Amino acid sequence: LTMLESNVSQKDVSKFAGVSPSTIGRLLDSDQALLRFNSRTLPTNIAIDEFRGPQGKYCFIIVDNDTSQIHQILPDRLKSNIMHYFDRFSLKERKRVKSVSTDLNSYYQDLVRRYFPNAKLVVDRFHIVSMLTRAFNQVRVAVMKQFDPNTREYRALKNSWRLYLLKSTSLNYTKEYYDRHLRQKVTMAERVGIGLDLDPQLAAGYELLQGAMTALEEH
């Protein structure tokens, strides 16, 4: 269990321990082995999330954000079981928690507000960027479908779509390449500009996405 808490695969652990991978799986499936109820202390800054565990079952994980070490793993992500775990800590101990980092899962946020009255709720930046890129792609596809599939405008928005999701500072503004979809030489920046010029809403969404990525990068 100690090795599994570090960045080591189950396969490597099984080789080191001299047991089969299935034995490791059975150990992880054992609630008593997996649950290391620490009923005394909590890290000052924690992160909570879920991950796909043995046999595709989702588990709940608590990480110490200061050390990046696993604090606890629960065998499922049921709200009642998560509440049961946090109920083991005194209010005084839970008030010591200064921040909780999580995703956009609403009931995780409800749990943070309920159990950690002094903690700052932090939404993981990965999920913010992921949400914005999905929204931008939805706008791009909607604009693209306004054009005939055989047109240059349609190809400009359909192909090389990954360029739109890069930081603008990562685009090359000088080196040209031949774009077979547009049948012309362009730089990466020009290629993005051709698509953005087709719709003002798409261009506005691009500026919003770029601004958010820059703000997160520069804290």
Side-chain angles (χ1 to χ4, degrees):
L1 284 172
T2 302
M3 291 184 67
L4 289 168
E5 288 181 357
S6 58
N7 189 23
V8 182
S9 69
Q10 288 183 222
K11 186 176 180 180
D12 290 337
V13 172
S14 67
K15 288 181 179 179
F16 181 84
V19 298
S20 68
S22 60
T23 299
I24 300 294
R26 284 195 300 272
L27 176 63
L28 287 173
D29 283 338
S30 169
D31 289 358
Q32 295 304 315
L34 193 58
L35 291 174
R36 300 182 301 105
F37 280 124
N38 182 342
S39 59
R40 293 176 297 177
T41 60
L42 282 166
T44 304
N45 300 288
I46 64 176
I48 58 175
D49 206 348
E50 57 198 38
F51 68 95
R52 192 182 295 274
Q55 301 177 354
K57 185 178 180 181
Y58 277 98
C59 303
F60 182 78
I61 186 170
I62 305 169
V63 175
D64 185 331
N65 254 350
D66 295 321
T67 64
S68 297
Q69 296 297 309
I70 295 174
H71 176 76
Q72 182 62 277
I73 296 176
L74 304 184
D76 59 52
R77 54 179 178 176
L78 294 177
K79 187 174 184 179
S80 58
N81 291 337
I82 297 172
M83 292 172 63
H84 176 66
Y85 174 71
F86 286 133
D87 280 335
R88 291 170 172 260
F89 297 91
S90 67
L91 177 60
K92 180 180 178 181
E93 180 62 26
R94 288 186 276 112
K95 282 184 175 181
R96 289 183 54 255
V97 177
K98 295 180 179 179
S99 70
V100 181
S101 176
T102 182
D103 58 18
L104 294 166
N105 188 317
S106 61
Y107 87 75
Y108 284 173
Q109 296 181 31
D110 291 340
L111 286 171
V112 172
R113 296 186 181 98
R114 173 172 179 170
Y115 285 98
F116 307 106
N118 295 333
K120 183 178 181 180
L121 181 62
V122 182
V123 177
D124 190 300
R125 68 184 64 192
F126 166 81
H127 293 91
I128 296 175
V129 174
S130 178
M131 181 176 61
L132 286 169
T133 53
R134 283 198 303 270
F136 175 80
N137 269 329
Q138 289 172 357
V139 175
R140 178 185 60 82
V141 172
V143 173
M144 179 187 74
K145 289 182 176 180
Q146 296 175 11
F147 300 98
D148 186 278
N150 297 318
T151 61
R152 184 175 185 271
E153 289 82 1
Y154 185 92
R155 294 194 301 271
L157 293 173
K158 180 176 177 60
N159 304 107
S160 301
W161 58 269
R162 290 181 178 85
L163 292 180
Y164 296 100
L165 305 183
L166 293 176
K167 284 286 302 297
S168 59
T169 53
S170 300
L171 298 175
N172 194 305
Y173 286 75
T174 56
K175 185 178 179 180
E176 290 187 328
Y177 69 96
Y178 182 77
D179 189 300
R180 62 187 179 88
H181 302 291
L182 301 182
R183 301 183 180 90
Q184 70 177 83
K185 282 189 173 183
V186 290
T187 65
M188 292 172 68
E190 288 172 342
R191 178 65 177 79
V192 171
I194 290 172
L196 297 179
D197 287 342
L198 296 174
D199 186 82
Q201 184 183 6
L202 184 66
Y206 181 80
E207 291 300 320
L208 176 63
L209 175 62
Q210 291 295 320
M213 291 193 293
T214 300
L216 290 171
E217 185 177 72
E218 297 179 355
H219 304 284

